[in-house]
Amino acid sequence: QVQLVESGGGLVQAGGSLRLSCAASGRTFSIYRMGWLRQAPGKEREFVATITWSGGNTYYADSVKGRFTISRDNAKNTMFLQMNSLKPEDTAVYYCASKIRGSTGYDYWGQGTQVTVSS
């Protein structure tokens, strides 16, 4: 099993920056990839970014590409999301999730961290 805990959310003005962290524990050796997803009030959860744990290959949603950067520190079992040039439409609860080897989708989820961007 894998446990995930997000941190780093908060309130920021448009154009500002935040850095989210996701700490993984448990059977972290089984992680194949991790990702960030978000859910705004009244909207469906949407994909933000993902990274493969071994190779570090990244992929971003078009809405955040060029502004957000996903990274990971394998030794610390931690994933990050650097968010720059934040917009009010980035306001959402951000979740980290992991996919273990042999699974067909995201297996484990964190509790979420609130990001609020004021205009």
Side-chain angles (χ1 to χ4, degrees):
Q1 296 182 331
V2 176
Q3 294 80 46
L4 304 173
V5 179
E6 302 99 332
S7 62
L11 175 64
V12 65
Q13 293 184 350
S17 299
L18 283 174
R19 185 177 180 85
L20 306 183
S21 299
C22 176
S25 60
R27 305 186 72 180
T28 56
F29 59 86
S30 66
I31 296 175
Y32 173 71
R33 65 164 53 249
M34 295 183 68
W36 290 97
L37 302 94
R38 66 188 183 185
Q39 187 167 23
K43 297 184 178 180
E44 297 181 351
R45 187 171 298 180
E46 66 175 351
F47 165 79
V48 176
T50 188
I51 187 168
T52 57
W53 208 240
S54 179
N57 297 311
T58 61
Y59 186 80
Y60 299 90
D62 289 341
S63 60
V64 306
K65 192 173 185 178
R67 299 188 297 121
F68 291 10
T69 302
I70 188 171
S71 62
R72 87 279 192 243
D73 185 335
N74 299 72
K76 296 182 179 294
N77 293 316
T78 303
M79 177 179 64
F80 305 95
L81 184 68
Q82 178 66 47
M83 305 186 294
N84 299 325
S85 301
L86 283 163
K87 305 175 181 179
E89 49 262 46
D90 294 318
T91 295
V93 176
Y94 284 70
Y95 299 89
C96 67
S98 65
K99 179 184 182 300
I100 65 174
R101 289 176 292 180
S103 68
T104 58
Y106 287 118
D107 307 280
Y108 303 101
W109 296 77
Q111 81 289 347
T113 185
Q114 177 70 48
V115 172
T116 302
V117 184
S118 62
S119 57

